[in-house]
Amino acid sequence: MERLHWVRHRCRQMLAGSCGRGWYSTPDAMSSKTSMDTHSAPRGDSGKQRTVFALHGPHQQESVFSYKGNAICTTKYTWLTFIPMNLFEQFHRAANLYFLFLALLNWVPVVEAFQKEITMIPLLVVLTVIAIKDALEDYRRYLFDRKVNNNMVQAFCGKQKAYIYKCWKDVRVGDFVRLSCNEIIPADMLLLYTSDPRGVCYIDTANLDGETNLKQRQVVSDLPLQGVEFTAESFQCRVECENPNNDLSRFRGYMEHPSGVRVGLHNSNLLLRSCTVRNTESVVGLVVYAGHDTKAMMNNSGPRYKRSQLEKHLNTDVLWCVLLLIIMCLTAAIGHGLWLKNLKEAVFQVNMEMSPALAGFYVFWTMIIVLQVLIPISLYVSIEIVKLGQIYFIHNDLALYNNQLDSRIQCRALNITEDLGQIQYLFSDKTGTLTENKMVFRRCSIFGIEYPHEENARRLEVYEAEKMEAAGRSVTLKSGCSGRSLSCKHSSVSLHTLTAEEEEEEEEEEDQLSSHSRPRTSAFCSRVTKEVVPDPELLRKLNWFCSSVLADSSSGTASSLELTYIIDFFLALVICNSVVVSSPSQPGHVVPDTQTPLKSLEEIKLMFQRLTFSPFSAFSSLAPPQIKGRPQGFTRRLFGRGKASSFSFSTPTDRSEAGREGAQKTANSTLEVDLSSREEGGDASKTEDRETEDYFKGARMNLEGAEEVIEDLTREVDCERDPDDELLYEAESPDEAALVHAAHAYRCTLRGRSAEGLLVDLPGMGPLAVQLLHILPFDSNRKKMSVVVRHPLTGQVVVYTKGADSVIMDQTPRGSEQEIYNHIREQTQSHLDSYAREGLRTLCIAKKVLEEEEYEEWLKGQRLAESSIEDREELLLEAAQRLETNLTLLGTTGIVDRLQEEVPETIEALQRAGIKVWILTGDKKETAINVAYACKLLCPNDQLLTADCGTKDAYAALLEELKVEEQCGEDSLSPSPGFILVLDGRTLEWALQEEQRSDFLELSQRCKAVICCRSTPLQKSKVVQLIQDQLGVMTLAVGDGANDVSMIQMAAVGVGISGQGGMQAVMSSDFAISRFKHLRKLLLVHGHWCYSRLANMILYFIYKNVMYVNLLFWYQFFCGFSGSVMSNAWVLILFNLIFTSIPPLVYGVLDKDTPAQSLMEQPELYRQVQTSKVYVPHMFWITVLDAFYQSLVCFFVPYFAVAGSSVSELSFGSPINASALLIVLLHQVIESHTLTWIHVLVLVLSGGLYFGFVLLFSLFCVTCSPPTNPVGVETLEMNQPLFYIICVVTTVMALLPRLFLRALYNTLHPPAGMDQVDSETYRRDMQRWNLIHSRANKLPLCADNPGLEPSSS
C-alpha cells in the first residue's frame, strides 16, 4: 500500500510539474515581486509578523535570537522577589492600605491609642495568611514548571549533524524537532516531515481543548517526498508568519523557497504545544513559537475573576461604615474640645497649654485608631474562605456528577457562587445544550423525492422501547475515559428516541461480551448512530451499480439524471467532511489494501456506456427525462451539471400516497417507448432505438425474478460487512459522523484519507481514488463546508457543498429554464419544512461543476488569499463566496438530535422559579419550536408571536401588531395564555438596533419566553448584553460549542456544557457541567444556599463590628472623649480577629435555610429569595440599628449595676466584654437555620478560647498592656456572682427583641411551601409511630390509621 501511495504521489508531482499548475505554485504576476522580497524582507518582528530561519541551516547567521526560549515560568515570585512583590500586590487592596495607615498613625506619640505593636497585629495576621497561601500555590507551580521544562525531546544539533536529546527548556525558535508516536509536542512547530507517505500525521488535542477525537495535520505542500528521511541541512526556506496570538484555530503565514516561490501556511500545518502525536511513527517540525509565545501558553489565563453583585453591594456598605466611623470620631473630637474648654479644675494630669481645637484634632485621629474595628478587614478574607468551602461542596455533590463521562462540575470562577442564587434570565443554546448533540440519521430527500426510511424509524422506536424497559435498573458501565466500573441510573425517554445513557449502556454491554477489546473508540460512533437501516426504494436504485438485472416494474427504476443525483448525493456525504478513518487492526489510520483491485477509469466508462443502452429513459415510474446524444458522451453528461442543451426533462413527483398511485399507473406503461423524440437524431437515433427495444424485450424476460434478486442484494448489504474489518470514523462533529455512517449503510464508504485525496467505495465499483484539490472548512459566517475534487468518473472539477438550508437554497438559481430544477427546489423545500416540524436537524447537499478556465481563475485568487498574512480571513471568505454560487441542489438530510434527559423537568422548574428562559439557536424556526414544545418551554395553550421580517419598516409594523395582539390577550376575560416570541436572524438584527431596542424589550418582558432562530454567535452575545444592560437583571448563558463562547463570556454567569461540541465553551465558562439537568440543582439549591449564606454572613459581620465598636464609643461619654478604653488592648484587637471570627465561617459554609429536597420540589422558594432580597440597603440599616440597641444594653446594664462602686475601668470592662461575646455568639444561633455538632463545637471553642485567654492574661501578664495592669482582674471578677448575673441579664435583654421579632415574622410570613413540608413530615412521623405501636398492640387497620397493618381476623 505504501508503494502504491509512493507511485501515485510521484506521478502527481510529475504531472503538476509538466502542466505548471500546482496547488501552491506562484502566479506569474507574483514571481518578480517575491524574488525581490527575498532580500528586502525584515529578519525579525516587524509590524504583525515574524521571520523564522532554520537555526542550524545555511541561514543560521541570519537567525533571530531575540525570540523567547521554550522554558516556561508560571510562577510569580522568586526567593528574592517574594516579599516585596507579594506585599505590593496585597497593598493594592484598599482595606490593607487603610490598616497600614492606622498602624503607622499609632506610632505618632500625640495620637497613640495602644502599644505600637498591638495595632499591627490585625494587618500582620491578614498579610501572613495570604502570603502563606500565595507561597504554597507558587511553589506548586514551580514544581510543575520544573517537571515540564526538564522533559526530553530530540532536536537537531548543527555541530554533530544529528538529532540529540535536549530538555524542552533548551529548544529555540528555528530548531528542528523530531517526535515519535505518543510523544508530547514541546513547542508550536511547522510540520515538515512525517513517516506517513501521504504526508499526514495525527494529533490528540485533549491536553489543549479537551477534545478526544484525533485531528489530522499535513506537511507543508511542495516539500520533498514524504516517507524518505528528512535532511535538516538542506532546508533553506524562510518562514514568514503572524506574531504569537491565542487563536487556536488560526495560523497565517507562508514559506518562501530559495527560488522565490511562496507556499501558504495554514492551521493544518501547525503542531501545537501540549498536543500528543498519535498513530504516526515519526514527525519532524520547525519550531516557530516557543515557550510563552505558544498558543497553549497564551490561552493559559488561569481562573476567571468576576465581581459578584453581592461584592459590589458590600463595597457600598463599607463606605457607609467609613462614613459612620468619621461621624463617631468627629463627635468624639468635638466632645473632647468642649470638655477641655469647660474644664475648670483638673483632678488628673491634662495638658492645659494645648488649645481645645488642637486637642480635638488629635483625639479625632486617636478615635480612628480606637474604632478601627468598625471597618471589617477580616470580612474580605472570610468571604474568600467561605466561597472556597462552598465550591468544595458544589464540586463534590454526587447529584452533579456524570458517571457515564466520569466528570463532575467544574467551578472555574471562584468568587461568583452567590450570583447563582439571583439569576433572572437564562439564555440557552439548543444543539448540544438542550439536546444530546449525538446525531442519528433519520431520513433524506434526493432529486426532490423523499425517502422516509420507515425501517430506520422503527429501529429507533425499538431502541426507545428497550430504553423504557431498562429505565430504573442499574447497570455497570465502564467509563470511556478512565476505564473504571461505574453504576448509573436511567431517566425518562427524551425527544423522538432514547437518551444517550441507553446507547452507552448497549455499547458497553457489547464490549463486555466481546473477547477482544477495541484499542481505541472513535468519536461519535455509537451503535445507534452506525446501524442505519437503508430505505428499500433508494437501495433498489443504487443496486443498478451492482447488477445489470432490471428491477420489478412495480417499483420502478431510476432515471439517468436521478441516478446522477443519487450518486453525487452519497459521494458528497462521503467526501465533504473532515472525518479521519482508521481500523481496529490498523492503529496507524492507514486502511489496509483491499482485495478488489482498483477499476480503471476506462472500465468504469465502459460500464456506464453499457448502462446507457438500458431503458433508463422510458422504464421509470417517475417519467424521467429522455436522453439525447451518443452513448460515448453519456458518462460526462451523466455526472455533469445537467445543462438544458443535453436533456429534456419531465417533472418528478413526491413519494406521497397520491404520488405512489401515480407511480403505479406510470409503471403499467413503462414499456411504451417514445420513438418520436429521437427522430431528429437521424439514423443513429434509430439504431439506438432498435437496441433499446431489444433491451426492453430482455427486460420483460427478467422481470419475474428481478424482485427476488434485489431482495438478495438487500440482504447482502446487511451481511457483507465483517466486524473484524469495521472502519472507525473519527469526526470533528456528530453531524459528519452520522452522514458518513448513513452513506456507509448504502455501501458508499469512506475508506481512507490523505492530504491530497480520498479512497472511497461506491456500489459495484470497488475502491475509487478521489483527488482532493481544496477544502473550504465550515465557519459561522458561511454556514457551510465545501470540498473541491476531481471527479473520479468524469475527471471534471466538482465542488460539493453541504450546509444550512438558509444559505444553500439562496445559492441555488431560482426560475431556472429547466422546469425540473424548479420542481426539485420546491419539493426539497417542502421536505425541509416537514423535517423541521418533526424536530430534525437539516442539512442541504449541493454541487457545482467548474470548467477548467473557471477553476484556474478561482485558483489564482485562492492562492493569493492563502499566502497572505494580513486580512487572510477576509480574502478566503471572498474566495469561498465566489466559488459557492449557482449551486445545483442535490437533496437534504434529516438527522435526529435527541433531547437530553430531564430537560423538560428542568426548564419547567426554572420557569416556576421565576427565571425567564430564552433559546438562542442557529437552527430553523420550525426545528426550534418543535424542540421548545418537547422540552416544555412551550405549552399547548401558549400563543406564538412570530416575527419574520426582511426589512426594518416591516419589522416596526409587525412589532406594533404583536404588541396589540399581546395586549388583547392580556385584557381578555378568559385565562390569558403565555406568549412566546419567535424571531429569526434577520428580524433579530433589526430588533437589536438602537431605535428599536425599547419596543423589543417591552414586548419581550411581557412574553413568557423568547426563541431566537438563525442567530449568529455575535447576535447571541448582543442579546445577552442588551437584556443585561438595559434591564439591569442577572443573566446566565449556557452553551456547549465554540459558537456559544461570546454569549457565555458576556453573561454575568457563564455555564459551559462538556458535551460533543468540544471544550471551547467550558474553557470560557465560569461553571462547567456535563448535562443541562444539573442546572436545576446548581441554581435552585446551591445558588439559593450560597446567596443566603453569604448575605447573612456579611450582615452578621457588620452587626458584630458595629455592636462592639459602639461599646467603646459609649464609654467616651464618661472619660471626657479622651480615646481611653475600658478593656486591655489585646482583648480589643483579638475580639473580632480571633474570638468571633470562626463561627461565621462555619455558618457561611454549612447553613441551610431550606432543605435541598424542598428547594428541588418547590422552585418558587428560589423566587422568594429574589423578591425578599436578604442583602439590600434597608437590611443594612436595620442591622446597624439592632447593633446600636444591643450595644446600649450591653454597656449600660453593667454600668448601672456597678454605678457608685469603686471598681476600676478594667473591672468595669470585664463583664461588658464577656456579655458582648455571649450576645454575638447567641445572636448567630438565633440567625442560624442549621445547627450541627460542628456549629456547637465551634461556638464552645470560641467562648472557651476567650475565657481561657483572659484568665491566663490576668494571671501571668504584668506589663503586657501598659499603662494598665490586668493582673488578677479577670480572676477576681469571675469569682463574684454579680459578674454572672450581669452577663445573663445583659444577654437576655439584648437578644429578646430580635428573638421576638423573628418569631413574629415567621408566624405572619411563613415560608412558602413549608406548610406542605411540615404536614408531609408529620404524616410520615405518624405513620412510623402507628406502625411501631400497631405491631406492639396488634391494632386493626382503619381508615384514619393508614400506617397500620391489616387485621388478620
Side-chain angles (χ1 to χ4, degrees), residues 812-826:
T812 56
R814 303 186 183 187
S816 175
E817 298 177 2
Q818 300 296 334
E819 181 183 356
I820 190 169
Y821 290 139
N822 293 330
H823 189 81
I824 291 174
R825 179 187 173 88
E826 293 173 1

Side-chain angles (χ1 to χ4, degrees), residues 720-737:
E720 68 178 359
R721 293 192 292 270
D722 187 353
D724 295 335
D725 294 330
E726 182 183 5
L727 298 174
L728 300 181
Y729 294 128
E730 304 250 4
E732 292 188 5
S733 71
D735 300 79
E736 289 187 344

